[in-house]
Amino acid sequence: MKVKATDIAQMASASDVIFDALREAIAKGDVTEGQVLRQDHIARMFNVSRIPVREALTRLEEQGLVSTQRYRGAVVTTLSTEEIREIFEFRALLEPEVLRYSVARMSDEALENAKRYAGAFSTEPDSSHWGELNRRFHYSLYEAAGRPYYLQTISGALDRVDRYLRAQLVLTDGMARARREHEGILQACIERDAEKAALLTRDHILGASVSLITFLERTRAEREAAGG
């Protein structure tokens, strides 16, 4: 048959495309906490039926990014400061351990990739890219650990807090501090000092947690005082 074949297995499904678009919008803060995600509106945006939209929203709910509420439907979740603190405490336990596994196995290529991402993070003028560059920097240091389940779990934790981290980096001095701390972590990895790299990573995560929670408590209190 004269049919031009396409490897459908390599193509993203409609629900994958919608899921990725919504997750990115939530992470960037383009879709805000408490906002209702209406299936019919999203279906019209992507010119699809409601079925792939429903599938995408189910996956977002599994990741804790949306919740289904009676009479409202899918709503972008709001994390309390206690929930955020717990996520960061979890990251501070897991990520240093992954880095300990990784440092001795890290290739020169991996270190060059990490250096490139650290540089891109430091010089990127568009704040919408900061979260992704930050994630790529850390992942480039973790991948050699050979712990895919750990990385998947870390990714899920980052998905939950990306939108808050971006706001904190933009509206506080968090960006300058993150740059300095990335440099320190990278240098420890270059020196193959796993313990130092792990300790710096732990301090980096817990420091970001304190800064973020302080920022959120202040802004939420100001919003409440203003009646919003």
Side-chain angles (χ1 to χ4, degrees), residues 32-104:
T32 57
E33 57 185 34
Q35 186 168 338
V36 177
L37 301 177
R38 302 195 181 281
Q39 291 187 25
D40 54 349
H41 176 66
I42 296 169
R44 286 196 299 271
M45 286 177 61
F46 288 90
N47 194 29
V48 295
S49 71
R50 289 190 183 188
I51 294 173
V53 177
R54 194 177 304 119
E55 292 172 351
L57 292 175
T58 297
R59 291 173 62 190
L60 290 169
E61 186 166 18
E62 290 170 352
Q63 292 195 353
L65 295 177
V66 304
S67 62
T68 301
Q69 298 182 8
R70 193 174 185 182
Y71 304 124
R72 299 188 73 198
V75 178
V76 178
T77 55
T78 300
L79 291 180
S80 69
T81 53
E82 286 306 311
E83 288 172 318
I84 291 170
R85 183 178 288 111
E86 182 180 0
I87 291 170
F88 274 85
E89 287 173 351
F90 171 76
R91 289 184 56 210
L93 289 171
L94 185 56
E95 292 183 43
E97 287 304 308
V98 174
L99 192 54
R100 281 192 181 94
Y101 288 127
S102 186
V103 167

Side-chain angles (χ1 to χ4, degrees), residues 28 42 48 64 88 91 108 119 149 158 167 186 212-213 222 224:
K28 289 182 177 180
I42 296 169
V48 295
F88 274 85
R91 289 184 56 210
D108 291 340
Y149 180 76
L158 287 171
L186 178 58
L212 174 56
I213 290 170
E222 290 171 351
E224 186 175 335

Side-chain angles (χ1 to χ4, degrees), residues 157-171:
L158 287 171
D159 285 339
R160 299 288 303 277
V161 295
D162 264 354
R163 55 193 144 142
Y164 300 105
L165 273 174
R166 178 174 174 268
Q168 180 248 339
L169 290 171
V170 172
L171 300 173

Side-chain angles (χ1 to χ4, degrees), residues 190-202:
I190 292 171
E191 295 170 359
R192 306 294 177 175
D193 190 335
E195 288 305 312
K196 182 178 180 180
L199 180 60
L200 289 174
T201 298
R202 178 181 180 276

Side-chain angles (χ1 to χ4, degrees), residues 173-184:
D173 66 348
M175 190 63 177
R177 177 175 177 174
R179 288 190 191 108
R180 293 193 302 271
E181 292 176 353
H182 283 177
E183 290 173 3

Side-chain angles (χ1 to χ4, degrees), residues 112-154:
E112 281 301 315
N113 286 337
K115 184 176 181 179
R116 187 172 69 254
Y117 289 132
F121 177 81
S122 296
T123 57
E124 174 57 57
D126 185 349
S127 62
S128 67
H129 297 310
W130 290 354
E132 181 61 25
L133 289 170
N134 177 67
R135 184 182 295 220
R136 289 187 180 187
F137 167 73
H138 285 285
Y139 265 51
S140 63
L141 297 177
Y142 299 160
E143 285 177 336
R147 298 294 193 279
Y149 180 76
Y150 284 19
L151 291 180
Q152 182 182 1
T153 306
I154 291 167

